């Protein structure tokens, strides 16, 4: 009780000493404020003075410690990006120079040009965008409808089905990869195609292997997206839907006209996350694609592609350290579209993360 009284007294004292927003014309100099603080400090008890001094010391030191902590974290996160940029534009001969650490003496675009040729970058980029953006849009729509159903409707087996959604979040993709491969390799629509034709449809190396799971709200990280939409829709006022129903809106019309505009930041967040995960995926793509190349697959096989195209099947000998310039150039090319997208949409991305993660809990 005494400690609480001391804190309350000290807080009132600080408010008197430091008004929240004093007018410019009545601001005192630091010297005057210091003298005023000492004068009023003498009116407090020793315990209150001790607590107040400790609090002021903490308020002075904490911003410094926080700045050092943030700087350290930023360095750990940004260090690989800085090294990647410096190595991508560095001549390969300078990779063996021990005097060059960060900034090279000369810069070149030849590494980027070589990697663009080896990766067949523009064709690969178009193919990746077709799979990436298309699947992301389809997945956002299906996951939003599913999340809305879990948030607003009651039906038999709802809790069991939502438990399945949670299992989708927890279960690694490797567990169901073999059944998925067999399903697409021996695709039998409605179970009657084989009975009619005597054969199966082979969907391997077909974009449908990525589109069909997204269409069924079962694409990459779909369980997490359904959960995010459910949390976001649960946080919206129920009165909005009631008003729409009174105006004659159907459940689908209410979802389109009322819920989607109010959950725009969540839609953008899920879309960005979906784009990033489809963009970086190579495990699922490697299983279903052999000829249908994507950025992630080309980057995964860049070493072999460099040996085949640039080094004439290994007849041209290149130091392993010199090879880094082409590998880093490939990494830079692969992340540039994602970085550009994030730079322009980061405000809405963080807002959607906050809303979908904190509301409806």
């Amino acid at each position: 009780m005494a400690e609480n009284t001391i804190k309350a007294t000290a807080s009132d004292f600080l408010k008197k000493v430091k008004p929240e927003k004093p007018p410019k014309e009545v601001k005192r100099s630091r010297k005057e404020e210091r003298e005023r603080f000492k004068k009023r400090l003498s009116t407090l008890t020793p315990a209150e003075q001790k607590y107040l001094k400790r609090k002021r010391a903490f308020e002075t030191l904490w911003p410094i410690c926080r700045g050092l902590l943030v700087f350290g974290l930023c360095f750990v996160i940004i260090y690989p990006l800085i090294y990647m940029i410096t190595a991508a534009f560095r001549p390969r001969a300078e990779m063996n120079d021990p005097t060059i650490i960060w900034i090279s003496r000369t810069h070149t675009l030849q590494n980027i040009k070589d990697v663009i040729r080896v990766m067949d970058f523009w064709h690969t980029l178009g193919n990746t965008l077709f799979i990436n953006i298309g699947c992301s849009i389809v997945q956002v729509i299906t996951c939003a409808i599913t999340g809305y159903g879990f948030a607003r409707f009651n039906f038999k087996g709802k809790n069991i089905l939502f438990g399945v959604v949670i299992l989708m979040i927890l279960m690694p993709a490797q567990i169901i990869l073999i059944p998925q491969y067999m399903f697409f390799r021996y695709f039998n629509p409605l179970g009657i195609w084989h009975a009619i034709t005597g054969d199966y449809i082979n969907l391997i190396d077909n974009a449908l292997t990525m589109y069909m799971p997204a269409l069924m709200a079962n694409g990459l990280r779909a369980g997490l997206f359904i959960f995010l939409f459910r949390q976001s829709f649960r946080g919206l006022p129920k009165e909005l839907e009631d008003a729409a129903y009174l105006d004659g809106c159907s459940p689908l019309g209410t979802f389109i006209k009322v819920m989607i505009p109010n959950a725009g930041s969540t839609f953008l967040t899920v879309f960005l996350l979906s784009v990033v995960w489809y963009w970086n995926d190579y495990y699922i793509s490697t299983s279903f694609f052999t000829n249908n190349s994507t950025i992630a697959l080309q980057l995964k096989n860049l070493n072999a592609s460099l040996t085949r195209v640039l080094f004439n099947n290994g007849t041209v000998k290149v130091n392993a350290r010199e090879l880094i310039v082409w590998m880093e150039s490939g990494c830079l090319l692969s992340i540039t579209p994602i970085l550009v997208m994030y730079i322009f949409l980061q405000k809405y991305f963080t807002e959607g993360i906050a809303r979908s993660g904190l509301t409806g809990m």
Side-chain angles (χ1 to χ4, degrees), residues 30 37 80 227 267 294 346:
R30 290 189 177 183
F37 177 80
F227 180 79
F267 275 85
T294 63
Q346 60 175 326

Side-chain angles (χ1 to χ4, degrees), residues 308-336:
R308 184 182 69 254
V309 178
L310 202 60
F311 306 144
N312 196 20
N313 288 324
T315 58
V316 178
K317 300 299 181 182
V318 179
N319 189 297
R321 187 170 180 82
E322 295 177 1
L323 189 64
I324 294 176
V325 298
W326 288 289
M327 301 300 293
E328 297 296 347
S329 298
C331 293
L332 182 62
L333 285 174
S334 67
I335 70 169
T336 297

Side-chain angles (χ1 to χ4, degrees), residues 172-314:
Q174 292 85 342
I175 292 179
I176 61 173
L177 184 60
I178 294 178
Q180 272 190 327
Y181 180 86
M182 299 301 293
F183 175 78
F184 290 123
R185 173 59 183 85
Y186 303 101
F187 186 61
N188 188 18
L190 302 177
I192 60 174
W193 181 267
H194 178 69
I196 297 175
T197 64
D199 199 1
Y200 297 97
I201 301 175
N202 183 7
L203 294 181
I204 301 301
D205 265 336
N206 193 309
L208 286 175
T209 56
M210 305 298 285
Y211 273 94
M212 288 178 64
L215 187 62
M216 299 295 123
N218 193 30
L220 294 179
R221 308 295 193 279
L224 176 62
F225 299 152
I226 293 172
F227 180 79
L228 290 177
F229 276 120
R230 173 183 176 269
Q231 296 300 97
S232 179
F233 290 135
R234 285 185 62 187
L236 296 177
K238 188 69 169 62
E239 290 75 14
L240 293 174
E241 294 170 281
D242 294 338
Y245 292 148
L246 290 176
D247 289 339
C249 266
S250 63
L252 181 60
T254 303
F255 173 72
I256 296 174
K257 297 178 181 179
V258 177
M259 306 306 286
I260 291 180
N262 284 280
S265 58
T266 304
F267 275 85
L268 181 60
T269 300
V270 171
F271 176 74
L272 289 178
L273 289 175
S274 182
V275 167
V276 170
W277 275 319
Y278 271 106
W279 187 275
N280 293 328
D281 171 68
Y282 70 87
Y283 187 83
I284 304 297
S285 302
T286 304
S287 304
F288 294 145
F289 297 147
T290 56
N291 302 318
N292 210 351
S293 60
T294 63
I295 292 290
L297 289 178
Q298 288 283 9
L299 188 62
K300 176 179 178 290
N301 301 320
L302 182 57
N303 196 350
S305 299
L306 287 170
T307 302
R308 184 182 69 254
V309 178
L310 202 60
F311 306 144
N312 196 20
N313 288 324

Side-chain angles (χ1 to χ4, degrees), residues 156-168:
K156 290 184 178 180
K158 174 181 176 180
N159 294 333
I160 296 176
L161 290 176
F162 189 69
V164 174
V165 172
I166 300 300
L167 284 177
M168 290 170 61

